[in-house]
Structures are given as structure tokens and as C-alpha cells.
């Protein structure tokens, strides 16, 4: 599978991806048009903030499955369009929070103490320090707009240096403000009236675009200072430049532009311009929020890991999938179990499934298991040969096949801590039931196979063999496999109607070598064997 990287991530993670067997092409420094023309044949795309993952790019892609945004902001990713194209879109929202938060605080210090002006002065021979008298941050009021991950870090740090911190974020509950010791502003105007410093920490959306413009700037005290290390365009650039020139805003620090320059061009080649570059007391950094050694490592490691997992069909937290409650590592084994249960059906039965019911019992019944249900659906569709199915398009795919799905939550998991039971209602009017659990930390175990109780660890390849419950059958099966040099890694069986003349047993034989149709026929020919199904979970 091929991964295209259009904006650089740490080289060691590119090597990691190659070592995992992926073909990786680093296609850096190219224009959007060139990238759109180069996306064919790529299974995954890794970008930062410059590449636009838009309709045009997605229309040109013929086998794209995953887009990994190496960073936080997703204003360059059309997530709904990714969903429509069945492409998983993911980002690394925690990897560079600290770096971005620290940059915002550094910018606040710089504009309160005129650091850049003074530095520039000294480098041109001007040591007249009286020109650069600053103001202290302690005792002043900072207004944080957007109290998410980075806004919270910035609030804590500014409080730590003795600022009063107020914040505006209508989507965050009061408890978070209380926990951070931050005063809640009910409206943006409430914040604007009281602040000496505004620091922006919202995403760029229709609602937040230009949320600070001339009107808002002039609602502030004269001499207010502004930091924007979130997204360009949150503060109207022309209005800010005018307010700086006029003195309403004393200083501003900007890490991001509404339209970003190329960050690869050498000084002589750069044609980029912006009104803020010419505004007085406006300090500008070239989108440095995530530029620390630590954040570069975290972003690269997380995006490479998530993209690789997603390509391997594993469940990962993505932007266009339901939010996963609790610990993703605790829920992943249940996803694997459910996907295997889904895959099991068509490898053991022929009659089309009309309806499936999945029941979560025990501790897992106290949380939302929608993502596990989706894994079951991915499994059943893969079992039907729908290779293009992913967590992103699985619901639409299932609808296309007219399969109905329902979920049930129960407290009683019988003798287990947690139990997942799937009932397949098929065209023959049969109800076939599979049940499984996870033994801590991540061993998936099948405990019931169509009514046969067992305790079978689900390895990659298993032979499910229904046989007469009489002596000698298992021996004959094992001998047949042995003759063909097939090693049995585990053997489990369950029994039904024990003692009756027509009692059957169900064996689950995990094997380590490929089993051909010829070998299956040989097993079917063994005396006492009724039905053989080869189940491949890979
Ligand atoms: P986040 O999702 O954790 O927090 C964003 C907050 O903004 C949320 O709490 C949300 O409720 C709030 N918000 C949304 N609309 C709002 C509105 N209209 N008014 C007030 N609040 C609103 O995001 P984050 O990880 O904290 O990132 C914040 C910003 O920083 C994003 O724009 C991100 O792209 C940017 N960022 C920049 C850099 C950089 O290099 N400069 C690095 C990382 C992140
Ligand atoms: C982000 O959103 O993660 C930052 O803006 C950094 C980046 O885009 O690389």
C-alpha cells in the first residue's frame, strides 16, 4: 500500500512506515495542482496545514483510504467530503498543544516588553532603551478566546505569572472554567471590555472567521494587545493593521495568516505579502506554534502510527467516526472481537443475513459501544467481499445491502465480566448466535458458536468442524492435518445434545499453515465429520 507525504514529518517515522512494508513517497514542496495530479494510486495521504484535502483532490484519488493530518487544525481538510468518499480523516490533536500554548505565552511576553522592536533596534545600532519601556503582565487581565486544549494550557500559564484570566467559550461547561480558576464571560463583548491581552485559541470556522474585527477591537480598552497563534483570519488582518497604526491596539503577535505563505521558499524567492507585515508593533512568526523538537516528534509518531493502523483496518480515533468513550486501547479488543464475529458468519453459513442484533452485557453495557457495532458491520461486509468498506462508510454500505442492525445493553453477563452476543437472523428464518468476550488485556475469546459452548481463543486461521460426538473423530482430523504438515496451534470444542443418538460436537482447530480446498475435502471425508468451514480472520 502506498502512502504519499506532501508536507514533512520527522524522518524516523517515514522510515518506520517503510519498515512496516508500506511504499512511502515524500512529495514535498509541490503545488496543490501538482498534488491533485499525483494522488492516484495512493492509499493514504499525510499532510500538515498547506495541502488542501478538498473535493478536487478526493475526486482525483482512486484508492485513497486515509488522510492523516500531522497536527491539530483541520481547516484544510474537508471532513464531510472525506466521509462521502469513504476516506478516514484523522489528526493528532494532542501532539503539539504544549508547543502552541508556550508560543502564545512567549508572544504575550514579547509584546508586553517590546522584545522584538528592541532586538531589531540593537541590531541596527540603536541602544536607546528608553524607547522600549514595556508593561508588566502581572496584575493585568488576559482574555482567552476558546478554552479548549491550548486555551486551557495558556490560561494555566498566564495565571501562573499572576494575570487575571477571563475566557469566552460558549461550548465549554462552567465546571471547566471553575477548575482552571478562569472567569467565564457570557458574551464576547463581556471579555472585550475588561482585557489588556486577547489570545485566540478557537478553530477557524464560519462562526469564528473575523470574530475580532474593527467593531470588536474598538470595544476594548485603548492599548489592548493581541496574540493570534491559532488560525489566520480569526482576527481581521486589515482591521488589526489599521488599529495598530492608529494606536487602539498597542501591539500584536501573529503566528498565522489567513492565506499562508509557502514555508519552503528561500528569502529571494518569496513573493508573499500581507498587510500585517507592514503594520507597526506587529510581531510575526512563520507558523511556529508546533515547531519544537518535542511536538515534531509527537506529531510524526502519532500520525504515522494512526495512518498505519487505519490502513491495516484497525479501529483508530478519527474525525469522521463516532467519538470513542473511554480508553481506546480498552475498547479495541472488543472491536477486534466483533469484527471477527462478523467475518465468521459468511465463512460458516450461506443464507443472507437480514437482521443482526448485538447485545453488550456486563461492565461494557455502561458505555456507548457504537464503534464496536460498527466493527461487527465491517466484519460482515468484508466477509461478503466488500473490500472498500471502512469505519467511515460502513453504515451506508450496510444500508445498501438492506441489513438491519440493532443494539441492546444488559447488565447480566452470566459467568463473564463482559459478554458480546450477536444474533444473525437469516433468509432461512434461522437465528444463529455467536458470543464472545475479552480476557484481559486483549485476548478475544469465542464462548458460544451457534449454540455450542466453548472457550476458543480467536487466532488468525481456524477450521470450524462439526462432527458426530463419538470417539475417534478428532484423532482422524488431527492425523489428516498432520499428514499435510499442518500444525495445530490450539484445539477447542463444544458439545450439544450430549448423550442423544444425534449428538454433535463442534471443533475449532487453529492452524499455522495454509489449508487448501483439497485438504478441506480430505477432512470432510473423515468418518464422523459433518461440516468443515475454513475461517480466515486476516
Ligand atoms: P480545541 O478544539 O481543543 O479547542 C478549541 C476551543 O474553541 C473549543 O473549546 C471550542 O469550544 C472553542 N470555540 C469554538 N468556537 C468558538 C467560538 N465561536 N467562540 C469561542 N470559543 C469557540 O483546539 P486546540 O487544540 O486548543 O487548538 C486551538 C487552535 O489552535 C486551533 O485553531 C488549532 O488549529 C490551532 N493550533 C495552532 C498551532 C500553531 O502552530 N500555531 C498549533 C496547534 C494548534
Ligand atoms: C496545527 O494545527 O497543528 C498547527 O497549526 C501546526 C501545523 O499545522 O503544522
Amino acid at each position: 500500500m502506498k502512502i504519499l507525504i506532501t508536507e514533512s514529518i520527522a524522518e524516523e517515522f517515514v522510515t518506520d512506515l517503510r519498515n512496516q512494508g508500506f511504499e512511502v513517497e515524500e512529495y514535498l514542496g509541490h503545488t496543490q495542482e501538482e498534488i491533485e495530479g499525483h494522488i492516484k494510486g495512493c492509499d493514504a495521504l499525510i499532510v500538515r496545514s498547506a495541502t488542501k484535502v478538498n473535493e478536487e483532490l478526493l475526486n482525483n484519488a482512486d484508492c485513497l483510504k486515509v488522510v492523516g493530518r500531522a497536527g491539530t487544525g483541520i481547516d484544510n481538510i474537508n471532513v464531510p467530503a472525506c466521509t462521502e468518499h469513504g476516506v478516514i480523516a484523522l489528526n493528532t490533536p494532542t501532539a503539539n498543544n504544549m508547543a502552541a500554548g508556550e508560543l502564545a505565552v512567549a508572544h504575550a511576553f514579547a509584546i508586553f516588553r517590546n522584545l522584538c522592536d528592541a532586538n531589531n533596534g540593537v541590531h541596527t545600532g540603536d541602544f536607546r532603551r528608553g524607547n522600549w519601556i514595556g508593561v508588566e503582565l502581572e496584575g493585568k487581565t488576559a482574555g482567552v478566546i476558546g478554552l479548549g486544549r491550548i486555551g486551557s494550557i495558556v490560561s494555566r500559564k498566564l495565571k501562573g505569572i499572576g494575570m487575571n484570566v477571563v475566557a469566552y467559550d460558549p461550548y465549554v461547561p462552567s465546571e471547566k472554567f471553575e477548575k482552571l480558576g478562569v472567569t467565564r464571560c457570557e458574551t464576547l463583548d463581556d471579555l472585550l471590555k475588561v482585557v489588556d491581552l486577547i489570545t485566540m485559541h478557537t478553530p477557524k470556522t464560519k462562526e469564528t472567521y473575523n470574530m475580532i474585527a474593527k467593531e470588536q477591537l474598538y470595544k476594548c480598552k485603548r492599548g489592548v494587545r493581541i496574540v493570534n497563534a491559532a488560525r489566520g483570519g480569526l482576527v481581521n488582518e486589515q482591521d488589526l493593521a489599521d488599529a495598530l497604526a492608529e494606536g487602539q491596539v498597542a501591539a500584536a503577535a501573529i503566528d498565522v495568516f489567513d492565506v499562508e505563505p509557502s514555508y519552503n521558499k528561500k528569502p529571494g524567492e518569496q513573493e508573499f505579502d500581507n498587510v500585517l507585515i507592514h503594520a507597526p508593533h506587529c510581531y510575526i512568526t512563520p507558523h511556529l506554534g508546533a515547531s519544537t523538537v518535542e511536538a515534531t516528534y509527537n506529531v510524526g509518531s502519532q500520525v504515522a502510527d494512526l495512518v498505519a493502523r487505519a490502513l491495516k483496518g484497525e479501529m483508530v480515533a478519527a474525525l469522521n467516526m463516532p467519538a470513542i468513550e473511554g480508553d481506546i486501547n480498552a475498547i479495541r479488543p472488543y472491536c477486534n472481537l466483533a469484527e471477527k464475529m462478523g467475518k465468521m458468519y459468511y465463512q460458516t453459513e450461506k443464507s443472507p443475513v437480514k437482521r443482526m442484533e448485538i447485545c453488550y452485557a456486563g461492565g461494557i453495557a455502561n458505555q456507548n459501544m457504537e464503534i464496536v457495532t460498527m466493527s461487527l458491520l465491517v466484519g460482515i461486509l468484508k466477509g461478503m467481499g466488500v473490500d472498500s468498506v471502512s469505519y467511515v462508510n460502513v453504515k451506508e454500505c450496510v444500508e445498501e445491502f438492506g441489513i438491519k442492525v440493532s443494539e441492546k445493553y444488559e447488565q447480566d453477563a452470566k459467568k463473564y465480566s463482559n459478554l458480546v452476543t450477536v444474533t444473525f437472523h437469516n433468509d432461512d428464518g434461522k437465528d444463529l448466535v455467536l458470543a464472545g468476550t475479552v480476557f484481559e488485556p486483549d485476548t478475544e475469546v469465542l464462548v458460544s458458536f451457534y449454540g455450542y459452548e466453548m472457550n476458543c481463543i480467536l487466532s488468525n486461521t481456524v477450521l470450524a468442524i462439526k462432527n458426530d460426538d463419538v470417539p475417534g473423530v478428532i484423532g482422524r482430523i488431527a492425523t489428516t492435518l498432520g499428514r499435510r504438515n499442518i500444525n495445530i496451534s490450539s484445539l477447542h470444542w463444544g458439545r450439544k445434545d450430549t448423550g442423544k443418538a444425534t449428538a454433535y460436537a463442534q471443533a475449532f482447530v487453529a492452524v499455522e499453515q495454509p489449508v487448501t480446498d483439497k485438504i478441506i475435502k480430505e477432512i470432510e471425508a473423515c468418518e464422523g465429520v459433518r461440516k468443515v468451514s475454513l475461517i480466515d480472520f486476516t
Side-chain angles (χ1 to χ4, degrees), residues 72-73 96 100 148-150 169 171 201-203 207 229 231 255 287 289-290:
T72 308
N96 57 24
R149 288 172 291 250
I150 299 171
D169 190 329
Y171 304 110
H201 299 290
T202 68
E207 191 195 353
R231 276 294 175 271
D255 188 45
H287 206 146

Side-chain angles (χ1 to χ4, degrees), residues 305-421:
D305 177 57
L306 289 169
V307 166
R309 281 170 180 271
L311 281 178
K312 288 174 192 163
E314 274 186 41
M315 182 266 300
V316 293
L319 295 158
N320 48 3
M321 272 166 44
I324 295 157
E325 265 180 34
D327 178 4
I328 190 166
N329 293 320
I331 210 129
R332 188 175 281 122
Y334 288 95
C335 289
N336 294 342
L337 172 70
E339 185 173 334
K340 284 180 173 175
M341 286 164 128
K343 281 182 176 167
M344 225 180 262
Y345 180 83
Y346 279 112
Q347 298 190 73
T348 53
E349 289 296 320
K350 296 280 168 279
S351 174
V353 174
K354 288 164 68 175
R355 190 158 57 82
M356 290 190 292
E357 183 184 87
I358 183 159
C359 174
Y360 300 103
I364 52 172
N366 299 321
Q367 68 188 90
N368 184 338
M369 298 294 275
E370 187 186 354
I371 193 81
V372 180
T373 304
M374 287 168 73
S375 304
L376 170 75
L377 302 181
V378 167
I380 192 119
L381 287 161
K382 281 193 177 158
M384 291 159 74
V386 186
D387 283 341
S388 58
V389 67
S390 73
Y391 284 95
V392 169
N393 60 9
V394 67
K395 286 189 179 160
E396 291 72 30
C397 288
V398 160
E399 265 166 34
E400 256 172 53
F401 285 97
I403 303 172
K404 301 264 176 300
V405 191
S406 60
E407 274 177 4
K408 212 163 88 179
Y409 290 78
E410 280 176 2
Q411 291 305 316
D412 182 11
K414 305 196 178 79
K415 57 187 175 184
Y416 303 98
S417 311
N418 295 303
L419 190 66
V420 179
T421 308

